[in-house]
Amino acid sequence: MDDHDTEHDSAYSGLLVNDAHWAFGTDFEDPLAGVDTTIPEGTDAATLAAYALMLGDDALVMSHRISEWTSNAPDLEDDIALSNIALDLLGQARLLLARAARADESLVPVLPGGSPVPAEDALAYFREAHEFRNVRLAEVANGDFAEVVVRVMLFSIWRLAIWEQLRASRDSVLAAVAAKGVKELAYHRDYAARWFVTLAGGTDESRTRLLTALDSLWPLWPELFDAHEAEVAAAASGVGVDPSTVREAAEATLAQVLLAADVARPEAARRSGVMGRFGRDGMHGEALSRVLAEMQSVARAHPLGQW
Amino acid sequence: MRPDLARETAARVTDPELPMLTLHDLGILRDVEVLRSGHVVVDITPTYSGCPAMATMRDDLVRELNGVGFDRVEVRVSLDPAWTTDWITPEGRAALSAAGISPPGPARSMSGPIPLSLSPTARLIYCPQCGSTATELLSEFGSTACKALYRCADCREPFDHVKEI
């Protein structure tokens, strides 16, 4: 290697000291290793697990939808921003699904003997659509850039309002995940809200697309504040947050963005469930099946696989 | 049981994505304990929930401690309290600057409701190349989740800024 090459190798010299220095692939590890996962006194383990599963599924499905933007965003900066947001949510999902599994092992799908797949991966990759408990806002098919901006904004405003309260959870894992997560969600929310204002005040085309996206997602906004019995039970035992109690705070934040963007609050009615059942009940649209088909196919083909 | 050796060795391990920083300088090394049995227990704190560098850091810690004679090493993850950039040491900040990365300012308060911010985050930062304060935020999300992307208006060079969390 001549001097010229050596000089231009410098960007990587710190990274590739030797093969052992940089591990390609992370193998399996327990994300809750060393974390106190004792169930708080007086809390029903199944309640805690059901609640953690809901929050974890929201993050997992939303992360997957946002990750579909990777390499497809309008410019490099937003491609990276959306990829980072998806990664943060994936990290939250991993901790929450691991928490759910630790609290109630009966939730975890049983895999063939000898499978090295950890519990949080078994929950992500080996459940059917009706076993997912995410809100439907997370799963609907992607649209244009305005659509992902509106979706990330609505999702983050709602989730941050919940997580601000969840920091006080009696469950030390949920409290710690929330304390870290609020920092991430604040960046996600502000990123999307700024783009919302920018698109609203941009060209006729950008404003039209933004309003179309808002109208199409709006019917899924009220569902976020429904209080499912698992959420009510988790709130009652001090480990979770009843989403109906953060509606006012979330609406106030949303109103600030709409005012800055000079956009009227939509009036469209909420999307109905099926016989009164919604995402939290395991009732989903076809869109979730498509997400899962793509997300789960490799893991399901190799239940004994080591990555 | 050579607790100083274990501490010094763990403190020297570097971050895989910011190799100019040791885990001590980054503020993620929380505790190194040598048990009576000779077993070493290291506590680290994740920077971001999805940070893919955590597993590498754990492997690096185990390998380095094995290398100085500690055969049994356990790396534990402390989620609470959550990591903040305020824990990056003065030496770590200097090392970031020297490597062309703008170090973080003070983290914003995270107690109570977090107010919406519709304008780009206002930061007083210096271009790590030329020292100019005339800088422009290009994106709050940079090459890794922990960095924002800036450009200097004077020397026109883009640079990373470790964002405050």
Side-chain angles (χ1 to χ4, degrees):
Chain A
M1 190 181 289
D2 62 24
D3 288 350
H4 181 79
D5 286 340
T6 307
E7 190 179 318
H8 287 84
D9 265 356
S10 61
Y12 301 98
S13 61
L15 296 178
L16 291 170
V17 174
N18 55 48
D19 283 350
H21 186 82
W22 187 252
F24 294 96
T26 55
D27 209 331
F28 291 137
E29 59 166 15
D30 178 3
L32 297 180
V35 177
D36 179 12
T37 54
T38 314
I39 309 283
E41 204 179 322
T43 295
D44 175 41
T47 297
L48 174 61
Y51 183 68
L53 191 67
M54 289 175 170
L55 298 183
D57 283 348
D58 290 337
L60 178 65
V61 176
M62 188 71 178
S63 170
H64 187 88
R65 276 300 184 209
I66 299 172
S67 75
E68 290 177 340
W69 274 96
T70 300
S71 81
N72 289 310
D75 59 43
L76 188 57
E77 285 78 10
D78 291 292
D79 206 290
I80 293 169
L82 290 169
S83 300
N84 273 318
I85 291 170
L87 184 62
D88 285 343
L89 291 173
L90 189 63
Q92 294 176 12
R94 187 173 182 208
L95 290 165
L96 290 163
L97 294 184
R99 201 323 156 231
R102 190 71 64 87
D104 182 1
E105 287 178 8
S106 72
L107 285 176
V108 183
V110 177
L111 298 184
S115 171
V117 173
E120 70 271 19
D121 280 19
L123 283 170
Y125 296 126
F126 293 87
R127 279 181 300 154
E128 304 294 334
H130 68 88
E131 297 172 286
F132 276 74
R133 292 290 181 267
N134 58 283
V135 293
R136 290 183 298 173
L137 176 69
E139 77 199 30
V140 288
N142 282 331
D144 57 13
F145 182 67
E147 199 270 354
V148 74
V149 163
V150 174
R151 192 204 302 234
V152 171
M153 182 185 76
L154 295 176
F155 183 83
S156 307
I157 286 176
W158 164 70
R159 191 167 174 91
L160 181 56
I162 288 175
W163 285 42
E164 286 170 350
Q165 309 298 323
L166 192 63
R167 288 179 293 190
S169 172
R170 289 175 60 239
D171 180 53
S172 56
V173 180
L174 290 187
V177 170
K180 173 160 282 303
V182 291
K183 300 181 179 195
E184 297 162 353
L185 292 166
Y187 272 105
H188 306 172
R189 179 195 62 181
D190 293 359
Y191 164 82
R194 286 172 203 166
W195 260 121
F196 188 97
V197 173
T198 300
L199 294 177
T203 62
D204 287 347
E205 176 74 8
S206 72
R207 187 174 176 88
T208 301
R209 284 177 178 244
L210 183 80
L211 297 179
T212 303
L214 182 62
D215 283 344
S216 77
L217 292 171
W218 188 255
L220 296 168
W221 172 252
E223 182 181 326
L224 305 182
F225 304 98
D226 287 346
H228 187 276
E229 60 183 352
E231 291 166 311
V232 174
S237 73
V239 296
V241 178
D242 175 345
S244 66
T245 63
V246 304
R247 180 197 293 270
E248 205 174 314
E251 288 283 3
T253 307
L254 178 62
Q256 283 183 59
V257 184
L258 295 179
L259 181 68
D262 190 23
V263 168
R265 191 174 183 279
E267 289 173 357
R270 64 178 293 162
R271 184 167 304 168
S272 59
V274 177
M275 294 192 297
R277 299 174 71 227
F278 300 90
R280 286 282 189 250
D281 305 299
M283 185 57 71
H284 300 281
E286 180 190 348
L288 182 65
S289 304
R290 293 180 181 276
V291 166
L292 297 184
E294 179 171 309
M295 185 173 79
Q296 298 180 332
S297 60
V298 173
R300 285 186 180 234
H302 305 282
L304 299 175
Q306 182 94 23
W307 308 98
Chain B
M1 284 293 194
R2 300 174 295 165
D4 290 349
L5 176 63
R7 247 189 298 277
E8 286 162 15
T9 304
R12 270 201 310 272
V13 172
T14 55
D15 179 280
E17 288 180 3
L18 297 167
M20 72 297 294
L21 280 192
T22 65
L23 301 191
H24 168 73
D25 286 335
L26 188 56
I28 70 159
L29 187 66
R30 304 295 297 284
D31 195 26
V32 181
E33 195 185 353
V34 181
L35 306 181
R36 205 178 288 269
S37 58
H39 199 122
V40 182
V41 180
V42 183
D43 275 325
I44 57 176
T45 301
T47 52
Y48 281 72
S49 299
C51 182
M54 292 305 294
T56 309
M57 292 179 193
R58 182 204 54 193
D59 292 350
D60 288 348
L61 280 164
V62 171
R63 197 183 50 258
E64 294 298 322
L65 285 162
N66 286 164
V68 295
F70 295 100
D71 295 333
R72 284 178 297 166
V73 179
E74 183 188 352
V75 179
R76 296 197 299 207
V77 178
S78 294
L79 295 178
D80 180 49
W83 181 74
T84 161
T85 43
D86 289 348
W87 294 348
I88 299 179
T89 64
E91 295 76 23
R93 289 162 196 272
L96 283 170
S97 293
I101 299 173
S102 163
R108 61 171 160 167
S109 166
M110 284 287 168
S111 56
I114 301 164
L116 179 73
S117 164
L118 287 174
S119 331
T121 311
R123 301 180 174 104
L124 174 62
I125 58 178
Y126 301 88
C127 168
Q129 308 291 342
C130 73
S132 168
T133 54
T135 60
E136 173 192 10
L137 176 66
L138 295 179
S139 175
E140 282 285 3
F141 297 88
S143 57
T144 60
C146 57
K147 286 179 270 174
L149 187 61
Y150 273 81
R151 178 166 54 202
C152 175
D154 284 330
C155 73
R156 307 304 295 167
E157 287 290 328
F159 63 92
D160 273 334
H161 171 76
V162 177
K163 61 194 183 197
E164 301 76 15
I165 70 163

